[in-house]
Amino acid sequence: MNPDDLKYHKEHTWVKVSGKKAIVGITDYAQNALGDIVYIDLPEVDMDFEINSEIGEIESTKATSSIIAPLSGRVIKVNEDLSESPEIINEDPYVRGWIAILEIDDISELDDLMDSSEYEKYVEEEAK
Amino acid sequence: MKLAVLGTGPGGYVAAIKAAQLGAQVTVIEETEVGGTCLNRGCIPTKSLAASSEMLAKLRQSEDFGIELKGEIIPNLSKIIERKNKVVDTQVKGIRYLLKSWGITLKEGRGVLQSPSEIRVTLKDGSKDIVTADKIIIATGSRPSQIAAFPFDGDRIISSNDAINLTDIPNSLLIVGAGVIGCEFACIFKELGSEVSIVEMLPRAVATEDMEISELLERELKKKKIKLYTNAKVEKVDVKDDGVHALLSDGKKIFAEKVLVSIGRAFNSDGIGLETIGINKGIRSEIIVNKKMETNVAGIYAIGDVIGGLLLAHVASKEGITAAKNAMGRDEKIDYTVVPAGIFTSPEIGSVGLREYQAVEKGIKVRTGHFQFRSLGKAHVVGEIAGFIKIVSDEASDRILGVHIIGPHASDIIHEAAIAIKKGMKTRDIAETIHAHPTLSEGLMEAAEDVHGEAIHVPKK
């Protein structure tokens, strides 16, 4: 199940906000669709990203796909553990599989993201 | 007809054999080792090292294949070099034997043109000899270019010639130039255990390839933790007791045990008497020839790296055959439109024909097709899923203009595409040909189908 305390972006990324900081990752639906993840190209610390832009790439045994920024902001930390063990995302996409922490530019962007029940409906629609 | 060939690289020895086949009395002159750069300092030795590093990579993946190894996996560079030398020796002997079997005289020494029909040879024992010939083919090749501010010293600042003979794996290696040679060595030494950084002046690695090939190679280098700095220059190096301290144009400092300079090749056109007989050279000191491989002096031909063209062994060989045939009275012109080439990085690269950007520059409206190796069963079987096959085709005629492959066995798969382009085939011709399953070549069929949005193993877009 998708945690209730997170917000979701239509490109299957999630954010967990505390103050001006947002932890970002990909959703359980996304990791499932990708299959076994073999590599993640992490964003660089200090880089600025616009909402909806590519902040990194994930490669699985099936496909390569972009990680889309759910918010605009500056990367202040990345999950280095993923470079050695990208499969953590498959195992635990919402906790240990976090990808980056952003310093949020514009908190109002959060309003456009989905909550967990909206995201679940969205995914159901997509699956049709 | 007496014909002399100066140099026995893949241009020179091939020209010599072809001329002998056509009835010439042939003498070849070689200053260093038979086989030239290709055999002694280039293609073969680097591929032998690459084969050892690939073996190492495979062993490191052995558990994925269900094989348990006990103990450590240790690359021993001096033994890797020993194997390389053995491979090279076998090949050199093979060429010596071929030359002998065709009745070709081999003079080992430095040859200098005295006149359009005479080459003065200083033999290895110091004695002099004169070779007379009705026609002469110059195939003196090229050597690694160096950077004036920090020339090769064979120890800290090394060339590819030195890199193939290192007996200790450097802890760290800074490579200047992310072309073919730089990227190949980066992959080899990284696998062996060196920390590798590459500095490239241009915006991308292997800059003459299709952009998407560079992009994927760069990502694979990053995966291996090879640091690549593009749009960057090494401004200054300080050779100290502990190693080399390099300063980049953006102010970044890199320390490395050794620096491998692979910025290109310089042409061996000096000191061989070209001025004496008035042979024209270009601004890069390359010998200028026409499509028949003729220089401006009648009866003198030049082939291979020294003419400053594509710097590929197989191109030199083709030029050698063209020159030999023309010297023997035929009328042949070289055609460079279909030249397949391999880059032996990990993953490997194979390309032929136009890159997408080249087709666009020519004003051609193109259509491309892609196929990812990870969508092929065989790629999963061999455990190498990174990479893709890309076809560039002419939208109007469907003819294949170029094919670009990065992935397992790319340099082998590319030849199907080379023949297709040579014969003016369409992507439909490849798409409609049954390809055996399970093979990596199926990817080419799928990429051809993808040009028309009809690939079976690509999800609906």
Side-chain angles (χ1 to χ4, degrees):
Chain A
M1 267 312 94
N2 302 305
D4 287 334
D5 56 339
L6 309 183
K7 289 279 213 174
Y8 300 86
H9 183 272
K10 60 179 176 14
E11 293 293 339
H12 309 288
T13 42
W14 56 261
V15 286
K16 183 177 186 173
V17 177
S18 66
K20 286 284 280 176
K21 285 179 189 162
I23 307 174
V24 175
I26 67 165
T27 65
D28 188 50
Y29 172 82
Q31 72 77 19
N32 239 320
L34 282 165
D36 290 342
I37 294 170
V38 292
Y39 176 71
I40 177 162
D41 194 3
L42 292 165
E44 276 170 37
V45 171
D46 281 344
M47 275 184 76
D48 287 304
F49 289 96
E50 292 281 315
I51 185 168
N52 300 328
S53 67
E54 180 184 307
I55 57 169
E57 272 190 313
I58 289 189
E59 244 183 78
S60 73
T61 53
K62 283 198 262 177
T64 300
S65 70
S66 306
I67 308 165
I68 300 298
L71 292 169
S72 306
R74 169 178 301 235
V75 177
I76 52 175
K77 202 172 171 194
V78 294
N79 187 354
E80 294 290 353
D81 293 348
L82 300 181
S83 345
E84 288 304 322
S85 314
E87 67 279 3
I88 296 173
I89 300 174
N90 292 119
E91 293 159 8
D92 191 1
Y94 294 118
V95 184
R96 286 190 305 126
W98 67 275
I99 291 170
I101 302 176
L102 300 184
E103 197 171 77
I104 307 171
D105 274 354
D106 178 2
I107 205 92
S108 74
E109 283 175 353
L110 277 172
D111 301 341
D112 297 330
L113 300 179
M114 293 173 264
D115 63 26
S116 64
S117 63
E118 284 168 328
Y119 179 66
E120 253 149 62
K121 271 187 215 127
Y122 172 73
V123 166
E124 272 170 32
E125 280 300 308
E126 273 229 322
K128 274 181 193 169
Chain B
M1 165 78 71
K2 281 165 77 179
L3 187 136
V5 183
L6 200 50
T8 61
Y13 87 75
V14 169
I17 292 172
K18 182 49 71 183
Q21 287 174 345
L22 296 174
Q25 190 190 327
V26 183
T27 303
V28 292
I29 299 146
E30 174 56 56
E31 186 185 12
T32 54
E33 297 99 0
V34 170
T37 295
C38 164
L39 209 45
N40 298 286
R41 299 174 294 278
C43 318
I44 299 295
T46 55
K47 263 78 270 178
S48 174
L49 300 193
S52 289
S53 75
E54 274 163 31
M55 172 73 78
L56 183 60
K58 282 273 177 221
L59 289 171
R60 284 172 172 156
Q61 281 179 46
S62 70
E63 285 199 8
D64 296 345
F65 286 76
I67 317 283
E68 286 172 29
L69 294 177
K70 281 187 182 163
E72 258 184 287
I73 304 165
I74 305 164
N76 179 328
L77 190 51
S78 60
K79 286 191 177 158
I80 291 173
I81 300 297
E82 233 171 73
R83 175 179 187 272
K84 180 267 293 179
N85 290 340
K86 219 175 182 178
V87 171
V88 169
D89 283 350
T90 309
Q91 300 301 305
V92 170
K93 278 188 193 135
I95 290 172
R96 282 179 179 270
Y97 174 72
L98 275 178
L99 293 174
K100 201 174 154 196
S101 81
W102 284 102
I104 295 164
T105 308
L106 170 64
K107 299 263 182 196
E108 294 190 67
R110 184 172 177 87
V112 178
L113 290 153
Q114 297 289 93
S115 77
S117 60
E118 280 173 313
I119 300 172
R120 190 179 146 96
V121 185
T122 307
L123 296 168
K124 283 186 174 164
D125 63 8
S127 64
K128 305 265 198 259
D129 199 355
I130 296 279
V131 172
T132 57
D134 304 307
K135 302 276 170 79
I136 294 172
I137 298 174
I138 302 169
T140 44
S142 66
R143 61 188 184 277
S145 289
Q146 53 185 349
I147 297 173
F150 44 99
F152 299 129
D153 62 17
D155 175 31
R156 294 292 186 188
I157 314 286
I158 62 172
S159 70
S160 54
N161 295 352
D162 306 310
I164 55 167
N165 287 316
L166 292 179
T167 46
D168 293 309
I169 301 166
N171 286 322
S172 50
L173 181 66
L174 167 61
I175 298 177
V176 186
V180 173
I181 298 171
C183 290
E184 287 186 352
F185 277 111
C187 293
I188 291 168
F189 280 101
K190 182 66 203 186
E191 194 64 51
L192 293 177
S194 305
E195 276 301 312
V196 179
S197 326
I198 319 177
V199 176
E200 169 60 54
M201 249 167 60
L202 296 171
R204 60 192 177 102
V206 292
T208 56
E209 294 297 317
D210 193 89
M211 306 256 192
E212 288 180 66
I213 294 286
S214 297
E215 253 173 54
L216 196 112
L217 178 66
E218 286 177 12
R219 190 217 300 235
E220 291 299 317
L221 295 176
K222 192 170 168 189
K223 270 190 199 175
K224 292 178 201 298
K225 303 199 167 24
I226 292 171
K227 289 189 204 85
L228 171 67
Y229 304 93
T230 50
N231 291 313
K233 254 181 90 177
V234 176
E235 288 292 348
K236 203 174 140 230
V237 303
D238 259 330
V239 180
K240 294 194 176 148
D241 287 345
D242 58 340
V244 186
H245 298 256
L247 176 69
L248 305 196
S249 41
D250 63 358
K252 194 176 164 55
K253 286 175 187 161
I254 297 177
F255 169 78
E257 196 179 314
K258 288 182 192 295
V259 176
L260 167 61
V261 177
S262 53
I263 54 163
R265 310 276 304 175
F267 309 120
N268 295 331
S269 60
D270 290 332
I272 53 169
L274 300 185
E275 297 74 17
T276 320
I277 58 170
I279 288 181
N280 287 342
K281 290 200 269 184
I283 45 167
R284 296 173 299 150
S285 283
E286 77 281 13
I287 299 177
I288 296 172
V289 293
N290 61 19
K291 293 211 158 167
K292 293 177 75 177
M293 316 317 301
E294 295 166 331
T295 66
N296 61 308
V297 176
I300 313 275
Y301 301 78
I303 59 168
D305 286 4
V306 76
I307 66 168
L310 289 168
L311 313 192
L312 292 166
H314 44 290
V315 170
S317 297
K318 186 71 181 175
E319 290 167 346
I321 288 171
T322 306
K325 285 181 173 174
N326 287 328
M328 295 304 288
R330 308 258 183 108
D331 182 16
E332 284 226 345
K333 290 193 175 103
I334 188 103
D335 175 9
Y336 295 110
T337 46
V338 183
V339 179
I343 303 177
F344 298 84
T345 42
S346 154
E348 200 168 288
I349 296 168
S351 57
V352 65
L354 293 181
R355 285 70 170 121
E356 187 177 354
Y357 69 87
Q358 288 174 327
V360 171
E361 277 167 14
K362 284 176 183 275
I364 302 170
K365 241 185 145 186
V366 299
R367 249 186 168 170
T368 60
H370 291 79
F371 194 73
Q372 302 290 329
F373 277 106
R374 69 187 69 239
S375 304
L376 279 181
K378 186 62 181 282
H380 287 264
V381 167
V382 299
E384 293 175 57
I385 59 169
F388 61 83
I389 297 180
K390 171 178 177 178
I391 296 191
V392 180
S393 66
D394 177 31
E395 193 183 271
S397 68
D398 192 40
R399 278 167 73 142
I400 305 163
L401 303 172
V403 173
H404 308 283
I405 308 176
I406 179 163
H409 295 276
S411 67
D412 297 316
I413 303 168
I414 200 66
H415 292 94
E416 179 184 346
I419 291 177
I421 297 175
K422 176 102 183 158
K423 288 291 169 198
M425 288 184 186
K426 300 175 175 183
T427 68
R428 290 275 184 211
D429 293 317
I430 289 185
E432 288 166 7
T433 302
I434 297 176
H435 283 60
H437 176 75
T439 62
L440 297 166
S441 297
E442 286 175 274
L444 189 64
M445 174 181 74
E446 296 258 5
E449 290 168 343
D450 187 57
V451 170
H452 306 282
E454 294 167 4
I456 296 297
H457 296 92
V458 172
K460 194 175 170 188
K461 283 165 195 167

